Amino acid sequence: MNKKWWNNSVVYQIYPKSFNDTNRDGIGDLNGIIEKLDYLKELGIDVIWLSPVYESPMDDNGYDISDYENISKEFGTMEEMDRLIQEADDRGIKIIMDLVINHSSDEHPWFIESKSSRENPKRDWYIWRDGNESGSSPNNLRSIFGGSCWEFDEGTGQYYFHSFSKKQPDLNWENPHLREEIYRMVRWWLDKGIGGFRVDAITFIKKPEKFIEEVSDGVDGLRVVKPNQPGVGKFLAELKKQTFAHYNIFTVAEAPGVELDQLAEYSGDEGYFDMLIRFDHVDLDMGEDGKWYTNNKWTLVDFKKAISKNQEAIKGNYTTALYLENHDQPRSLNRSIPKEDINERSAKLLATSYFFLKGMPYIYQGQEIGMTNIEYSTIESYDDISTIDQYNAALEAGYSKEKAMSFVYRRSRDNARTPMQWSDKENAGFSEVSPWLQVNPNYKEINVKKALENKNSLFYYYQNLIKIRKNPTYVDVLMSGDYEELFKDHLEVFVYLRQLNDQKLLVITNFSNKDVHLDLNEKAKQIVIGNYEDTPMLDGEVMVRPYECMVYELD
Ligand code: NOJ
Ligand code: CA
């Protein structure tokens, strides 16, 4: 693998609305991020992925953009954005922006024009169709956030298409003028010196050739829109050629629907992006069509399988995004650890379980201090559109309110969006006024200030993990060493080996509250890290204590 500035990077994701409020409106802002750059520097990360800060009516918290070249007023100004890029640069940190180009907001001037008349030159920048013979939706596709993908426009008597909410109309990528305008905008951002992009929902940009005809006849309800349709590659290749390829940046794409045998086409030097964000390990409990109420039961073996099949698929010069959390997922501690066992030790175990894999580690804000899920008592306290939709869908499917709330508690995206817990002061030190989303009451115990005061905290453990990823002794084996899973069917431990030439790292994580005895037939020459003070040396066998993890360099 050739050397690139980002090869060895660790990424920290910021969800700006919930990160740090400096102007007392209860909403995080760009100045709030600038204020915390030294904190991030201390953690040791190299790249910040900034969830959208563009002008937006905030129907989907910024993933509905009404002006790609302006900053939303609640977050700040373009001058502050430029200052953030500069201040981050001064600390050796690059910013990558979220690129949301499958759809815009319905309040984007392009859509307002498109909607104004059937003859408007921008009519074709979005997807418009007549209703079917009986005058209802052109077909029975269901949007990701519930309800039909089609919304009727009284003014022009046609329906427009939206894969997500009706305030997020899909852009028509078949139109070359639209594509040109997108590429110009992408270059405009890249010219500012940002480090690249996290690309949103990008495999949705291609609609099936005959998508009206093919899905018009369903009788048993709506069918969810399916990403990654044949032909999408043509657009992705052009996007790269017209933009990314000319800059020293990296791109990480959220590309649902891509199969493992397509990784080489979608990622790496010759691929459309540098790496992908995969969902296999976070969607284990997801029911059919992404429904929260038809949840699947899963075990550690399923989790390990999801990880291993991805690790084994990485063969070429490409890499992958390693992550446990983001703004669309519940907190990882609640997903993987029983409530009564959630603590700093199990959080360190979880961190260790993914940090030694092949790929680029991502940390989501608050993960480094062990933030956990929220349980608001009423649905009215929730903000996320998909949460409201899933709650209503559960009620319609016949579940009680209590049951519907239990699905929300497990899956709501607001679990990850509660304000960052900076201290035990009011509002968790996030804001001096009441925040846009209620803080998690556990901020008194779980907060940054406390973490920084304790040398054994999860924060410093993450700091150590990042140092290990950068340590010249381990860099190569971690980046390009082979991956091999051991004890595959074991329901309590996740154990894997990374190997490059003669160098071997062994990662052992015990996801149970029991002692587990492992016969390994290996001898360690060094302990790389562990989450007990007295990690035992490995000599053929080892007793792994409850939620213990350890990494050995083998003899
Ligand atoms: C994926 C983003 O991560 C999510 O937050 C958003 O709602 C959808 N794409 C639509 O943009
Ligand atoms: Ca603010």
Side-chain angles (χ1 to χ4, degrees):
M1 198 184 281
N2 46 2
K3 292 262 181 289
K4 307 183 179 85
W5 68 264
W6 48 266
N7 261 166
N8 199 10
S9 292
V10 175
V11 181
Y12 186 90
Q13 184 193 350
I14 290 183
Y15 195 67
K17 208 169 172 182
S18 306
F19 193 60
N20 185 27
D21 173 28
T22 55
N23 65 345
R24 312 187 65 218
D25 61 357
I27 298 174
D29 41 58
L30 294 177
N31 281 331
I33 301 174
I34 296 176
E35 199 176 274
K36 299 294 183 186
L37 285 172
D38 287 329
Y39 166 74
L40 297 177
K41 180 81 200 155
E42 173 156 18
L43 180 58
I45 56 99
D46 314 88
V47 174
I48 294 171
W49 150 22
L50 200 56
S51 276
V53 291
Y54 315 93
E55 203 175 284
S56 161
M58 299 286 164
D59 182 56
D60 187 17
N61 283 337
Y63 284 90
D64 48 321
I65 298 170
S66 52
D67 184 347
Y68 288 93
E69 289 166 53
N70 255 314
I71 299 295
S72 146
K73 272 186 274 310
E74 41 268 81
F75 292 141
T77 62
M78 192 55 82
E79 288 67 48
E80 285 159 3
M81 185 66 225
D82 290 335
R83 194 154 76 80
L84 171 60
I85 296 171
Q86 186 56 52
E87 295 253 356
D89 248 332
D90 293 347
R91 292 165 176 81
I93 297 175
K94 280 286 182 189
I95 305 278
I96 67 170
M97 299 292 282
D98 218 305
L99 186 61
V100 190
I101 49 180
N102 171 67
H103 44 270
S104 73
S105 161
D106 66 335
E107 296 180 36
H108 194 295
W110 298 342
F111 187 73
I112 293 171
E113 275 195 53
S114 183
K115 194 177 149 176
S116 67
S117 85
R118 291 196 189 196
E119 285 73 46
N120 188 281
K122 293 215 168 59
R123 182 67 170 181
D124 188 46
W125 282 35
Y126 294 83
I127 300 164
W128 293 94
R129 292 288 188 281
D130 292 329
N132 64 14
E133 306 88 72
S134 47
S136 51
S137 308
N139 66 27
N140 62 342
L141 280 182
R142 179 170 69 80
S143 74
I144 303 290
F145 294 152
S148 169
C149 275
W150 297 97
E151 182 70 13
F152 188 63
D153 169 48
E154 293 280 344
T156 57
Q158 281 190 313
Y159 289 82
Y160 67 85
F161 184 82
H162 57 91
S163 299
F164 295 88
S165 98
K166 64 178 182 214
K167 286 187 65 64
Q168 294 168 300
D170 281 37
L171 291 158
N172 179 16
W173 274 71
E174 305 294 336
N175 183 304
H177 302 293
L178 174 268
R179 298 206 301 276
E180 266 316 308
E181 186 54 22
I182 299 260
Y183 303 152
R184 190 200 55 73
M185 175 277 288
V186 169
R187 291 190 297 260
W188 183 85
W189 273 104
L190 289 171
D191 287 337
K192 280 182 179 288
I194 59 171
F197 287 106
R198 177 269 186 183
V199 190
D200 186 71
I202 196 64
T203 38
F204 282 91
I205 61 175
K206 177 76 187 178
K207 315 307 170 212
E209 277 325 326
K210 292 194 182 145
F211 81 132
I212 303 291
E213 299 84 328
E214 273 171 13
V215 282
S216 301
D217 54 348
V219 281
D220 52 352
L222 299 175
R223 288 171 30 179
V224 75
V225 53
K226 288 268 187 305
N228 205 34
Q229 294 292 332
V232 68
K234 207 172 127 246
F235 293 148
L236 300 180
E238 187 183 86
L239 167 64
K240 178 179 178 183
K241 184 158 170 260
Q242 298 293 332
T243 60
F244 313 144
H246 305 278
Y247 296 82
N248 186 12
I249 56 149
F250 79 89
T251 55
V252 48
E254 190 197 39
V258 174
E259 303 292 339
L260 285 174
D261 61 8
Q262 295 179 301
L263 285 187
E265 179 190 342
Y266 282 72
S267 43
D269 290 350
E270 279 81 47
Y272 310 129
F273 306 100
D274 290 296
M275 69 195 92
L276 302 187
I277 298 172
R278 306 270 318 163
F279 297 93
D280 312 79
H281 67 300
V282 291
D283 278 352
L284 286 170
D285 66 338
M286 208 58 119
E288 207 191 329
D289 279 0
K291 281 274 166 267
W292 295 354
Y293 58 77
T294 56
N295 67 312
N296 295 322
K297 292 267 170 278
W298 57 278
T299 66
L300 184 68
V301 172
D302 301 307
F303 182 75
K304 298 194 294 184
K305 269 191 196 144
I307 295 197
S308 291
K309 73 176 187 197
N310 274 278
Q311 289 286 297
E312 285 153 12
I314 306 173
K315 297 227 163 65
N317 65 352
Y318 48 92
T319 177
T320 189
L322 304 172
Y323 73 100
L324 297 175
E325 297 184 10
N326 63 39
H327 65 293
D328 294 331
Q329 298 294 332
R331 291 288 182 176
S332 57
L333 277 165
N334 297 82
R335 187 197 296 119
S336 295
I337 311 287
K339 214 170 190 165
E340 60 281 10
D341 291 340
I342 292 180
N343 53 39
E344 289 225 327
R345 174 159 291 139
S346 53
K348 290 174 184 171
L349 159 106
L350 214 46
T352 309
S353 72
Y354 86 109
F355 238 80
F356 292 86
L357 296 169
K358 200 193 284 194
M360 188 187 281
Y362 286 61
I363 300 169
Y364 177 70
Q365 69 182 40
Q367 183 186 330
E368 78 279 20
I369 54 166
M371 281 177 64
T372 60
N373 282 354
I374 186 78
E375 294 187 2
Y376 299 129
S377 51
T378 61
I379 191 68
E380 286 72 36
S381 300
Y382 285 83
D383 166 87
D384 165 33
I385 38 175
S386 82
T387 300
I388 317 286
D389 165 56
Q390 294 272 2
Y391 174 80
N392 290 328
L395 293 185
E396 273 163 38
Y399 290 97
S400 67
K401 284 189 176 169
E402 290 69 42
K403 202 75 191 141
M405 283 309 271
S406 75
F407 304 134
V408 166
Y409 294 159
R410 181 172 50 82
R411 261 326 301 194
S412 173
R413 305 196 297 179
D414 282 341
N415 281 314
R417 299 178 180 185
T418 59
M420 179 74 180
Q421 293 165 203
W422 294 104
S423 72
D424 60 4
K425 289 220 291 261
E426 216 184 336
N427 307 318
F430 161 77
S431 175
E432 283 169 24
V433 300
S434 176
W436 70 278
L437 188 67
Q438 290 166 47
V439 293
N440 191 317
N442 67 15
Y443 71 89
K444 295 226 154 74
E445 287 77 52
I446 301 173
N447 63 62
V448 169
K449 183 161 177 287
K450 203 168 154 194
L452 292 177
E453 283 163 3
N454 168 11
K455 282 287 158 210
N456 286 319
S457 70
L458 182 62
F459 175 90
Y460 291 112
Y461 193 85
Y462 268 105
Q463 189 188 56
N464 265 332
L465 290 175
I466 296 173
K467 280 188 191 147
I468 295 168
R469 293 256 358 167
K470 296 177 179 305
N471 183 334
T473 318
Y474 304 123
V475 138
D476 292 335
V477 59
L478 287 176
M479 264 186 38
S480 33
D482 289 340
Y483 167 89
E484 187 193 343
E485 191 194 336
L486 309 177
F487 303 100
K488 286 192 182 185
D489 297 323
H490 205 295
L491 278 159
E492 271 120 25
V493 293
F494 178 27
V495 183
Y496 60 89
L497 201 61
R498 298 294 313 278
Q499 176 164 12
L500 185 69
N501 307 322
D502 292 343
Q503 193 180 20
K504 283 191 197 168
L505 291 182
L506 179 69
V507 181
I508 301 177
T509 53
N510 178 3
F511 276 77
S512 79
N513 59 5
K514 299 182 230 152
D515 286 338
V516 175
H517 177 262
L518 295 177
D519 252 323
L520 279 145
N521 213 359
E522 299 275 6
K523 209 168 166 309
K525 73 169 176 211
Q526 190 148 314
I527 297 165
V528 181
I529 196 166
N531 67 349
Y532 275 71
E533 261 155 52
D534 53 342
T535 305
M537 217 34 190
L538 168 68
D539 191 357
E541 55 190 305
V542 68
M543 183 67 92
V544 198
R545 288 164 285 186
Y547 295 105
E548 182 165 27
C549 66
M550 57 268 265
V551 180
Y552 296 115
E553 183 170 5
L554 298 182
D555 221 358

